[in-house]
Amino acid sequence: MSRVVAVLLVLATGASLWVAGLAGGIPAEEHQALSAQQVTRSLNCVTGLPAGRAVVGALAGEVNGNRPVRRGVVDLGRPRSGFVLSAGVDASASAFASQDASSGPWYAAQPCAEPSRQHWFLGVGGSQLHQSTLSVVNPRSGEAVFDVRVFGPRGELDVPGLRGLSVRKTPLHLDLTRVAPSTDDLVVSVTAIRGLVSASLVDEWAPSASAKRLTEFVPAQADAGTDLVLGGLPEKPERATLSLFNTGENATVVDLRLVGEDGTFTAAKTRTVTAAPGQLVQVPVPSAGRQGASGVRLTSTEPVVAGLRSLAGRDVVRGPVLGALGESAVIGVPARAEGRLRLFNPDDAAAKTVRVEFFGADGSRLLQRNVQVTPGAAVAVAPKQLRAGAVRAIRITGGDEVRAVLEVSDGGAAAMPVSSVSGETRVPAVRAGS
Amino acid sequence: MKVTALLVSHDGARWLPAVIQGLESSTRLPDAFSLVDTGSTDESADLVASAFGGAPVRLDRDTSYAAAVAAGLEAAGPAADDEWVWLLHDDARPDPGCLAALVDVAERSGPEVVALGPKLREWPSLKRLLEVGVTISGAGRRETGLEPGEYDQGQHEDPQRVLAVNTAGMLVRREHLERFGFDPDLPLFGNDLDFGWRLARAGFTVLAVPDAVMFHAEGAHRARRRGELARRPHRDERVAAMHTLLANSSTPMFVVRWFRLLLGGALRAVGHLLIRRPGRARDEIAALGRIHLAPGRLRRARQRRTAETTGAPDGAEAAARSLLAPAWMPLRHALDFLGEVGRAIWGTVREAVHVRTGAGPEATVSGQLLRSPTTWVLVLVLGVSLVAGRTLMSGGPLHGGALLPAPDGVGHWWRTWAESWHWIGVGSSVSAPGYLLPLAVVGTALLGQAGAVTWLLFVLAGPLAFWGAVRFLRRLAPGRLAIYWGAAAYALVPVVSGALAQGRLGTVVAAVLLPWTAGAALRLGDPAPEKRVRAVWRTALGVSLIALFVPFVWLVALVLVASARWWYPTRVATLSLWPIVVAPLVASVPWLFDALRHPGVLLLEAGRSQGLSAEPSPWELLAGRLGGPGDAPWWFGLGIVAVGVVALLRSDTRAAVSRAWMVALVGALGLLVLSRIEVRLPGVDTALRPSYGLSLLLVQGALIVAATLAGNGAVRDVAGRSFTWRQPVAGLGVLAAVGAVVLGAGWWVAGGTPGPLDRGEVRVAPVYMGDLANSRPDGATLLLRGGPTDAGAAPVSYTVVRADAPRLGDEAVTALTPPDEQLTDVVQRILAGSDRAAEQLASYGIAYVHAPGPVSDEVAGAFDATEGFAGASADSPDSRAWRVTHTPDLSAIDDSGSPLHVPLLVVQVLALIALLVLAAPGRSDRREGDVA
């Protein structure tokens, strides 16, 4: 062997090893963490009200409840008990269900609830003048276990028997006057610790000791947030009260602003509110009507939950926290109700244009409008068909961050939040392990 | 009393003069002679004729002994009253007093005694006893009741009743000889036993007379002469034994003995193969074939014997049975055989030690071993290994990195290897990896302790590799220091490379076996054909064993075999090396057929490859590191590279050193190719890089060999020259060589064996779930990991666990098993909120669902809220568990394995046995084909 061969051997061996070392490892593969699944939905209408009605339907496909609905709207009259609507994969994107009730001066309406892990209810009472009933439904066939926590002005109430409650197929009703008697306004938290539950709360409240009790659904808020938009502020309320509850671990400063057709502006007297952790704060919303406001916007340093309670005419209106509409949102309009759709654009910089479709009782589209919402402002959409009670369902598409509330009246008044329905659920992707 | 001597001769000229002389010197001469010659080709007939004054009856060469005796009787004329026939062989010489003693006993005996036989002594030793009467064992073995090599010291004095006596020297009443005669179906062997047994069953007595002595050369039995009737004496003896046993047994015993002979014959054939006596194995099978292919012959023989025993006195049958060998006799022979084997092994060891040490045969093995420096260096390496492995001395099973824990017992490995369907994961018909067979065999030898196998491999990998390397390097270079350095450096390769700490079973096994295999391969060019052939089989065995753990070695072997002409100075026919390439393939079935569907798996090694994330840098590969956890600092290894390069500077060893570098280049090129490949397997959810372990061993081993070759005598060589650049370079080389070993060993001893290799209990689910899963296949646990959590979103990955934890070997099955899409869909639907999925989950035999913490809310919520799942105890506060309320069954699983699995297993076992037999040290068998 010559020296040249020897050198070549060394170089070839070294080079091979060196180049092999440059290959490194195989980069970790990105596995899909979530999969978009067209899934069935369940909408749970549990009124607990003797005069309750429900309207269900779908703009496509078929939904099932007490009887199947192929396409269109079905008024269910007065179902005795709660009604659980299950929409199949093809119908889930356009299925809707709402419930309403009226008696005398009051009118109550809300979209039927979807199951969630967390529900917050504000402005709840446990006294004779202010009586609230919590209804919890387990939409699935297994057992659901949940905790109920009640907060008063001085913090959490020690209420025995509200932890680890179990619900299966039969809805569970809790009369707060029995389980948590209190003359104060309360905050109720429902947290599912096993499974998911749908919770709704019916509130009977007398504005004064001599007044009749007015009934309304208390809108649920799923998650506390630091930037909230609340709708359902009547044009001319006799009085309006904003309830705030700090769910964070630190004291928070909440910046209050009003939202009207001209934009977002600061209320005349109340600009900021402070709330200690776990504290419920009630703030009057003065002169709101005169300034043309239809909603409230809150910005806080800690996550809060909130709710509006307004007295308009002879009825009480509960203003809900509104969620982003996303790609598509559908809401059912209660029968005989006269309505007005109000859109809020929380983006202070850019206008948003959304498409609003109105459907009749047979599922046919009556009207379609493209509505532009100016930055930070609210706009009302109230075509004559909606005002005349001919519209039974509304679909809003392209809303993204825009919020919407359906203000309905049938003697009294009510505000129904319009929520996003993606028609699919992001569930964890599954793969076989190794 | 008339005595007629009947002598049958057949090519017995070498013994006949002595036989005739013995007869002539008898104190009691026969009254008449009858001579028969069965076609002798030598001067036997003439010798007989001249000695006894009459020409013998000439018969054909293929005349049976029975026919020859019959012809002799006919030639002797009519029978006289009280006439006895003295049967004589041409290779049996009577003692002068032999006939007199026989006649004396015959005259004093009653009429029931119809045959007598002398005491047979070995001819020509004359002192060793051959027979004092014979009997037969249930296995068909001819039993004499004598100790092997027992000398005649007069210990057998009185005549005794026996089952039979040898026809050499048998004195038998002519009347009974003519009446019963010898069985014509027993042409040469075994007719004495058969004849005696038949006489006994008929109520007659055969006596052995120790005072009568006959010297017997056993020419046919010992294959000292070959005729048409004695071409394969062992086969013919086995045929005769089986025939005798089956023809003379009562009907119930016939069935028992037939089964015993059938099973025993097969076992004996295997036993002969194991000790490399294929001719004997063939004889056993051929004997079985002869008996079973001619059932009519046996039926006729039994009918004849039934007729012969008609009218026999009561108790004759029982008396005959009492003369058979006791039932425990085969056990005694087995013990004797084991003792002989032990003595033979010890003798081989002694011989090897004496050859190594140069000591004389008087030196004791222990003394030589104690005086050998290799022994003490090996002890030192063993001590270093034990100190470094101090953290692995106690605890649960060894596991970590790529190594899964061994099962509790070796039965798991045997089952996994043998069964065509595995209850592993969702269930799989993929064949078990081939390496389970050697692991199971070793585990069985360790009294079923499977964990001890992996412990021994990993803790003693260093000493085992050192031992093999010493033996290998000794064949390359004389001297000691360089060899000890080379062996120590090689023993450290699996340690400092990280293979040991990373639980790379394949690399560790390859490190142990590679020197032995390479040592065998060195002899492929041996000029002696016998040694060359044995080297081929030994190399094939080594490559096959390594290939079971690291299949990639087959490709390396293929390259080296293809270039064999270049490697060996003597011309080696490449085609003659075919076993090295073919044997690993055959020994890897049936797993190989499954692996070929996903060829990437052939580039991996034994163990759970996805358990490692090694990404060696160029510097690490140069320095012999695999990257990842548990390897020594890479710069420790530069000394080996440096000394390997320096080795090329020595001119007188450059040719050999360059060959070593060629091997290193083959390894490096292999590594280069592997580094560009991504392996994807159906049951592994990530892409894998092929195993670098074997290639790195080749590179490092070759560099060490190069350094050893050049280092041997280098100091003396350089010191004797005038001072040039060589002295400083040699000095630096020595420094680098010593430094690499000292640094590596010091790092190992100081830090102990680093992780991830560890000992401890491994459980993937709560104990009660594991216990249930261990006890039944429909008690499995669905293991869930991942899902959206505060730490981020990850897909939910599920695993079906049908034991408390996956065990070594399971990973190879799951790696080739595609995921069950239907089960994936079931889990997906549960997470998406679908009801009625629990029942489908139960149909996979899943009894529990376990999600180790932290558990995604989505996962927990879904199982909480779905009907068919009830909460169960988890093993930690942040884990969750559910019980499937539906009764689990296995209805969703088609548990049918491949019908070819068992035949392929047989092929694998036979291939490995054949390799072992052919690679084992040769055993000369002079009886076969060696006619004196």
Side-chain angles (χ1 to χ4, degrees):
Chain A
M1 289 284 179
S2 68
R3 293 183 182 180
V4 176
V5 173
V7 171
L8 287 176
L9 277 174
V10 173
L11 290 178
T13 305
S16 299
L17 292 173
W18 188 268
V19 176
L22 292 176
I26 300 174
E29 294 179 29
E30 291 289 334
H31 290 285
Q32 185 186 11
L34 299 170
S35 70
Q37 290 224 335
Q38 298 285 337
V39 295
T40 58
R41 294 172 62 207
S42 65
L43 301 166
N44 307 285
C45 314
V46 184
T47 67
L49 295 175
R53 298 176 294 266
V55 52
V56 301
L59 302 179
E62 181 174 328
V63 294
N64 286 289
N66 294 357
R67 61 182 177 182
V69 181
R70 186 164 295 281
R71 181 171 178 269
V73 182
V74 173
D75 290 314
L76 295 177
R78 298 181 176 182
R80 282 187 176 182
S81 59
F83 182 83
V84 177
L85 175 74
S86 63
V89 169
D90 52 346
S92 63
S94 65
F96 55 85
S98 299
Q99 58 189 129
D100 69 333
S102 63
S103 177
W106 61 264
Y107 177 71
Q110 71 169 5
C112 294
E114 290 203 60
S116 172
R117 188 167 299 283
Q118 177 69 50
H119 298 77
W120 289 96
F121 298 98
L122 274 78
V124 178
S127 65
Q128 288 302 315
L129 293 180
H130 188 183
Q131 182 178 354
S132 299
T133 303
L134 176 68
S135 300
V136 179
V137 175
N138 175 13
R140 299 174 71 168
S141 52
E143 181 187 28
V145 180
F146 61 98
D147 290 343
V148 176
R149 300 170 72 191
V150 182
F151 300 87
R154 288 170 294 279
E156 184 171 1
L157 304 183
D158 184 16
V159 182
L162 294 186
R163 297 296 178 95
L165 297 172
S166 171
V167 58
R168 283 184 174 273
K169 291 181 179 176
T170 307
L172 185 73
H173 302 285
L174 289 174
D175 183 353
L176 291 186
T177 57
R178 295 175 183 271
V179 298
S182 171
T183 55
D184 298 312
D185 276 352
L186 304 172
V187 176
V188 170
S189 158
V190 178
T191 307
I193 56 174
R194 176 177 171 181
L196 300 173
V197 294
S198 296
S200 63
L201 196 140
V202 175
D203 188 62
E204 295 177 55
W205 173 65
S208 64
S210 59
K212 279 192 170 182
R213 289 195 298 192
L214 304 172
T215 302
E216 184 55 284
F217 294 111
V218 178
Q221 183 178 344
D223 297 306
T226 56
D227 187 359
L228 305 178
V229 175
L230 293 94
L233 185 64
E235 286 183 355
K236 296 175 182 177
E238 294 172 16
R239 61 186 183 197
T241 305
L242 174 69
S243 298
L244 282 172
F245 181 73
N246 180 3
T247 63
E249 297 179 351
N250 302 301
T252 184
V253 177
V254 183
D255 182 21
L256 297 182
R257 289 179 294 170
L258 299 176
V259 184
E261 293 193 351
D262 297 330
T264 305
F265 53 93
T266 305
K269 292 183 179 177
T270 308
R271 292 184 178 179
T272 58
V273 175
T274 59
Q279 184 187 6
L280 174 65
V281 178
Q282 292 186 313
V283 184
V285 185
S287 307
R290 282 197 294 274
Q291 295 181 46
S294 53
V296 176
R297 186 162 184 187
L298 307 179
T299 310
S300 70
T301 53
E302 289 285 319
V304 296
V305 290
L308 274 172
R309 183 172 62 198
S310 307
L311 197 58
R314 297 164 59 196
D315 196 9
V316 63
V317 179
R318 294 280 187 163
V321 172
L322 305 178
L325 293 175
E327 293 179 6
S328 175
V330 180
I331 189 167
V333 182
R336 303 187 307 277
E338 179 182 336
R340 176 168 52 186
L341 182 70
R342 199 176 294 275
L343 301 166
F344 297 86
N345 180 7
D347 189 341
D348 294 329
K352 294 284 183 184
T353 300
V354 299
R355 188 172 72 167
V356 183
E357 297 167 279
F358 300 89
F359 296 88
D362 59 353
S364 61
R365 188 167 65 196
L366 303 176
L367 183 66
Q368 174 184 328
R369 281 188 184 178
N370 289 328
V371 180
Q372 187 179 55
V373 193
T374 54
V379 62
V381 182
K384 63 179 181 182
Q385 291 92 334
L386 182 58
R387 294 199 306 274
V391 174
R392 303 309 311 278
I394 302 171
R395 177 161 65 191
I396 306 170
T397 51
D400 294 332
E401 290 300 313
V402 172
R403 322 294 164 94
V405 63
L406 180 65
E407 299 168 355
V408 287
S409 60
D410 182 12
M416 302 170 67
V418 184
S419 301
S420 162
V421 175
S422 67
E424 62 185 23
T425 298
R426 307 290 285 181
V427 300
V430 175
R431 64 195 175 103
S434 58
Chain B
M1 175 180 180
K2 177 185 178 184
V3 176
T4 301
L6 196 162
L7 172 65
V8 179
S9 63
H10 178 87
D11 291 347
R14 62 188 296 187
W15 303 290
L16 271 173
V19 172
I20 293 165
Q21 187 183 7
L23 280 171
E24 289 172 347
S25 59
S26 290
T27 55
R28 165 51 159 109
L29 289 171
D31 302 305
F33 285 92
S34 178
L35 309 170
V36 179
D37 185 86
T38 55
S40 294
T41 54
D42 58 7
E43 61 273 26
S44 296
D46 297 336
L47 286 171
V48 170
S50 61
F52 300 106
V57 177
R58 299 274 191 148
L59 298 174
D60 294 337
R61 282 183 68 80
D62 59 354
T63 306
S64 68
Y65 185 73
V69 169
L73 290 177
E74 188 178 349
D81 292 340
D82 195 23
E83 181 178 353
W84 292 69
V85 178
W86 192 31
L87 298 174
L88 295 171
H89 291 192
D90 58 2
D91 60 348
R93 174 186 175 179
D95 182 74
C98 180
L99 181 58
L102 289 172
V103 168
D104 179 50
V105 175
E107 287 176 338
R108 287 190 284 111
S109 301
E112 76 281 1
V113 176
V114 295
L116 304 95
K119 174 168 65 181
L120 293 186
R121 294 209 316 220
E122 193 178 49
W123 187 15
S125 84
L126 308 179
K127 275 294 184 184
R128 285 184 183 152
L129 283 170
L130 291 177
E131 289 176 8
V132 188
V134 290
T135 185
I136 188 168
S137 71
R141 185 183 174 104
R142 189 180 179 91
E143 298 290 350
T144 63
L146 302 172
E147 296 294 329
E150 181 178 331
Y151 278 85
D152 184 13
Q153 298 171 315
Q155 65 271 41
H156 304 281
E157 294 179 350
D158 298 324
Q160 55 182 333
R161 185 178 183 190
V162 293
L163 180 72
V165 292
N166 201 303
T167 51
M170 177 194 290
L171 183 68
V172 55
R173 287 182 193 273
R174 177 168 178 175
E175 172 194 356
H176 291 83
L177 180 60
E178 289 179 331
R179 175 184 160 192
F180 287 92
F182 295 115
D183 191 336
D185 292 328
L186 298 171
L188 190 62
F189 297 105
N191 35 37
D192 49 358
L193 273 170
D194 176 72
F195 181 66
W197 197 345
R198 285 157 55 207
L199 290 177
R201 292 183 72 196
F204 299 106
T205 300
V206 177
L207 292 180
V209 182
D211 286 342
V213 178
M214 181 76 83
F215 304 99
H216 195 191
E218 296 185 301
H221 171 73
R222 295 174 186 273
R224 289 179 179 165
R225 63 175 160 196
R226 176 166 291 179
E228 275 63 18
L229 300 178
R231 284 185 177 154
R232 298 205 64 85
H234 180 256
R235 180 198 63 190
D236 297 338
E237 284 177 335
R238 290 300 299 160
V239 171
M242 291 181 200
H243 180 89
T244 302
L245 271 175
L246 296 177
N248 293 294
S249 297
S250 61
T251 302
M253 286 306 293
F254 172 83
V255 177
V256 174
R257 286 187 173 129
W258 169 80
F259 181 74
R260 181 175 174 178
L261 287 172
L262 190 67
L263 181 66
L267 291 176
R268 286 164 71 102
V270 172
H272 285 305
L273 279 176
L274 288 177
I275 57 173
R276 292 198 66 200
R277 295 172 80 172
R280 286 294 179 93
R282 191 174 62 233
D283 287 348
E284 287 290 341
I285 301 300
L288 283 173
R290 283 205 172 193
I291 291 296
H292 289 90
L293 291 176
R297 188 161 53 196
L298 197 58
R299 190 174 61 250
R300 285 193 301 274
R302 288 180 61 79
Q303 286 171 350
R304 281 200 302 272
R305 281 150 185 76
T306 303
E308 287 169 359
T309 54
T310 304
D314 294 340
E317 187 73 40
R321 269 202 308 274
S322 69
L323 296 171
L324 294 172
W328 46 262
M329 190 61 79
L331 179 63
R332 179 186 158 182
H333 289 304
L335 293 174
D336 289 344
F337 174 74
L338 289 177
E340 285 179 20
V341 169
R343 282 192 292 276
I345 291 174
W346 181 241
T348 306
V349 170
R350 280 190 61 163
E351 186 181 342
V353 170
H354 290 150
V355 168
R356 292 253 182 274
T357 59
E362 74 284 352
T364 62
V365 171
S366 55
Q368 292 305 308
L369 286 176
L370 288 175
R371 277 193 285 276
S372 167
T374 303
T375 305
W376 294 107
V377 178
L378 187 59
V379 168
L380 178 66
V381 174
L382 181 64
V384 167
S385 293
L386 293 177
V387 172
R390 56 190 176 273
T391 55
L392 306 177
M393 290 299 164
S394 61
L398 197 66
H399 69 279
L403 182 71
L404 291 180
D408 293 335
V410 78
H412 179 87
W413 281 340
W414 281 119
R415 279 193 304 277
T416 308
W417 171 77
E419 291 173 353
S420 61
W421 175 262
H422 312 292
W423 287 112
I424 297 172
V426 182
S428 175
S429 60
V430 170
S431 297
Y435 65 79
L436 285 193
L437 180 57
L439 290 183
V441 169
V442 177
T444 305
L446 295 172
L447 305 178
Q449 298 299 312
V453 181
T454 51
W455 186 88
L456 284 172
L457 274 173
F458 277 83
V459 175
L460 300 185
L464 290 171
F466 177 87
W467 185 22
V470 165
R471 286 181 60 88
F472 171 69
L473 293 173
R474 266 193 182 139
R475 294 186 176 181
L476 293 176
R480 281 183 177 155
L481 280 180
I483 287 172
Y484 291 152
W485 170 85
Y490 179 78
L492 283 171
V493 170
V495 177
V496 295
S497 67
L500 199 73
Q502 293 169 12
R504 292 177 184 267
L505 178 65
T507 305
V508 169
V509 171
V512 171
L513 294 178
L514 204 55
W516 300 89
T517 308
L522 284 179
R523 294 200 165 170
L524 292 177
D526 198 295
E530 187 185 342
K531 289 183 178 178
R532 194 165 61 237
V533 169
R534 192 171 302 149
V536 170
W537 289 110
R538 287 183 177 180
T539 309
L541 176 64
V543 173
S544 300
L545 286 175
I546 297 174
L548 294 178
F549 294 85
V550 192
F552 180 65
V553 76
W554 182 83
L555 277 177
V556 177
L558 185 65
V559 170
L560 297 177
V561 164
S563 55
R565 283 171 175 264
W566 187 84
W567 296 99
Y568 295 97
T570 55
R571 291 174 68 84
V572 173
T574 304
L575 283 178
S576 69
L577 305 180
W578 66 266
I580 299 173
V581 179
V582 174
L585 301 179
V586 183
S588 296
V589 296
W591 176 82
L592 183 66
F593 290 108
D594 290 306
L596 287 175
R597 295 177 193 164
H598 311 281
V601 75
L602 297 171
L603 304 177
L604 304 177
E605 65 175 278
R608 191 172 178 272
S609 300
Q610 62 269 40
L612 296 171
S613 58
E615 300 174 13
S617 67
W619 283 112
E620 285 178 321
L621 284 183
L622 276 175
R625 304 291 183 268
L626 289 165
D631 58 351
W634 64 267
W635 53 270
F636 283 12
L638 291 183
I640 301 290
V641 182
V643 78
V645 174
V646 168
L648 284 164
L649 299 177
R650 188 173 170 185
S651 57
D652 59 333
T653 57
R654 187 176 298 143
V657 169
S658 295
R659 286 175 191 276
W661 269 94
M662 281 298 297
V663 175
L665 179 60
V666 170
L669 288 174
L671 230 157
L672 177 61
V673 173
L674 293 179
S675 70
R676 303 292 145 184
I677 296 174
E678 287 185 9
V679 176
R680 291 183 182 276
L681 300 177
V684 179
D685 54 7
T686 57
L688 303 170
R689 189 69 83 202
S691 168
Y692 291 173
L694 178 77
S695 300
L696 212 63
L697 275 177
L698 279 178
V699 174
Q700 288 285 300
L703 293 182
I704 290 167
V705 167
T708 306
L709 288 170
N712 184 49
V715 173
R716 194 169 48 249
D717 181 56
V718 172
R721 299 183 182 210
S722 57
F723 188 81
T724 60
W725 58 269
R726 293 178 187 277
Q727 282 81 355
V729 168
L732 288 174
V734 170
L735 201 62
V738 174
V741 172
V742 170
L743 284 173
W747 169 83
W748 191 27
V749 170
T753 302
L757 191 68
D758 198 4
R759 287 188 71 164
E761 293 299 331
V762 182
R763 287 193 179 276
V764 295
V767 174
Y768 70 93
M769 291 186 196
D771 291 346
L772 179 66
N774 281 337
S775 65
R776 45 195 292 181
D778 59 352
T781 301
L782 181 74
L783 203 64
L784 295 171
R785 292 190 175 88
T789 62
D790 293 340
V796 173
S797 111
Y798 74 86
T799 314
V800 178
V801 183
R802 296 189 195 272
D804 53 351
R807 300 293 173 174
L808 180 60
D810 295 356
E811 80 288 340
V813 174
T814 53
L816 295 180
T817 306
D820 189 312
E821 299 298 340
Q822 192 179 342
L823 180 58
T824 305
D825 182 58
V826 170
V827 178
Q828 182 84 64
R829 284 190 287 116
I830 292 173
L831 293 176
S834 171
D835 290 331
R836 293 188 297 278
E839 191 171 357
Q840 290 175 285
L841 206 61
S843 68
Y844 282 85
I846 294 171
Y848 285 96
V849 178
H850 177 57
V855 184
S856 163
D857 285 346
E858 278 72 6
V859 172
F863 280 89
D864 280 341
T866 302
E867 188 178 17
F869 297 99
S873 299
D875 53 359
S876 67
D878 60 344
S879 298
R880 293 293 306 276
W882 298 268
R883 180 175 59 84
V884 181
T885 56
H886 295 276
T887 304
D889 58 49
L890 299 167
S891 55
I893 300 174
D894 175 17
D895 59 345
S896 54
S898 166
L900 290 176
H901 183 73
V902 172
L904 290 174
L905 284 185
V906 173
V907 170
Q908 184 194 23
V909 171
L910 290 178
L912 286 172
I913 289 176
L915 277 175
L916 286 168
V917 169
L918 292 166
R923 168 175 172 155
S924 60
D925 194 344
R926 291 197 175 84
R927 286 188 184 185
E928 294 179 16
D930 180 13
V931 182

